[in-house]
Amino acid sequence: MNLKPNRLELDSSDFVLLADFIPQVVQEIRYYSTFNFIGDRIDGYEEPIALLTKEAARALKNVSNEMIVKGYRLKIFDGYRPVSAVKHFMLWGIEDQDIRMKPYFYPGIEKQELFKKGYIAKRSSHSRGSTVDLTLLDMNTGKEIDMGCPFDLFSERSHPDYKDITSEQYNNRMLLQNAMIRNGFLPLDCEWWHFTLKDEPFPETYFEFPVSSSYLRGN
C-alpha cells in the first residue's frame, strides 16, 4: 500500500483477525464492553475482536509460542483502534461530565488531568494497527498473572518500572516485557501492558475502518 503520511485510511487489506492468526490467544476487548474508563462501548468497536497488521500479528505469534512453552497464554485487551474511538475518548474528556468509572480507572487523578498528563492522547499508536495491549494468563490456574495493578489504571503504579510493588509482580511485568522486546516490540514507559512493533509497517498512517470481521473480510 502506497499511503501518504498522516493520512486517514479505510483499507484493511493488510490487517488480520488475531484469533485466526494465533488461535491460542484469549481476548477481552475492553472497549467493546462497558468495563472501561468511560463506561460505554467505544465508537468503532462493532465486535469484541482484536485486529492487527500482518507484521505485528506474526511477531506476536512468536511471543505466543515462546510463552506457551513457559506455561502462559496471551490475553489481549486491545489491538487496532479506529480513529473514531480516539475521537470518542477526546469528546468524553472535553464535554462529558460523567465520572462514574473514576473509582476503577483513575481514582487518584481528576478527569481533566488525564489528557494533560498524557494518559490519553489525541492520536493513538493503536490506530496505526501495530500496537497491542495485553497480559499473560497462567495455563495452570486459568487466571491472569499478578502485574501489580489492572489494565488501564491511570496511575504511576502502571509504569513498567514502578518499584513499590512486590518482586513477583515486578518479575511478571518483566517476563512479559522481555518476551515482547525479544520479538520486535517496543514498550511504553507509562503502561506495562502496551507495546508497539518497532518496525511497524504504517508509522505515518492512521486507520478509520471499524473493528469488524465482516469489514475485514470484505476488503
Side-chain angles (χ1 to χ4, degrees), residues 35-99:
F35 187 54
N36 56 60
F37 65 88
I38 289 181
D40 297 312
R41 183 183 297 177
I42 304 304
D43 292 350
Y45 285 81
E46 296 184 1
E47 292 180 65
I49 56 176
L51 311 179
L52 282 178
T53 62
K54 295 172 183 176
E55 292 84 353
R58 288 191 196 102
L60 196 62
K61 187 171 186 176
N62 292 334
V63 178
S64 177
N65 291 341
E66 182 179 327
M67 289 293 97
I68 285 174
V69 171
K70 296 180 179 180
Y72 303 99
R73 294 172 70 182
L74 305 185
K75 182 173 182 178
I76 310 299
F77 295 119
D78 196 28
Y80 159 69
R81 182 182 305 164
V83 169
S84 60
V86 181
K87 290 178 181 176
H88 189 166
F89 294 170
M90 296 304 297
L91 289 173
W92 169 81
I94 296 169
E95 300 176 355
D96 196 333
Q97 299 305 307
D98 182 8
I99 56 170

Side-chain angles (χ1 to χ4, degrees), residues 90 93-94 109-122:
M90 296 304 297
I94 296 169
I109 184 173
E110 293 305 312
K111 178 178 176 178
Q112 294 73 21
E113 295 293 310
L114 295 176
F115 299 91
K116 294 178 184 178
K117 294 193 174 182
Y119 288 111
I120 303 174
K122 293 181 180 179

Side-chain angles (χ1 to χ4, degrees), residues 114-165:
L114 295 176
F115 299 91
K116 294 178 184 178
K117 294 193 174 182
Y119 288 111
I120 303 174
K122 293 181 180 179
R123 281 190 167 184
S124 173
S125 60
H126 283 273
S127 299
R128 302 195 300 264
S130 295
T131 294
V132 62
D133 293 336
L134 78 168
T135 190
L136 296 174
L137 201 71
D138 188 317
M139 292 169 66
N140 290 323
T141 65
K143 298 179 180 179
E144 295 176 28
I145 65 174
D146 188 353
M147 294 293 193
C149 76
F151 164 71
D152 252 4
L153 179 69
F154 299 131
S155 164
E156 288 185 9
R157 194 174 182 85
S158 296
H159 295 196
D161 60 355
Y162 185 76
K163 294 299 193 297
D164 194 18
I165 54 178

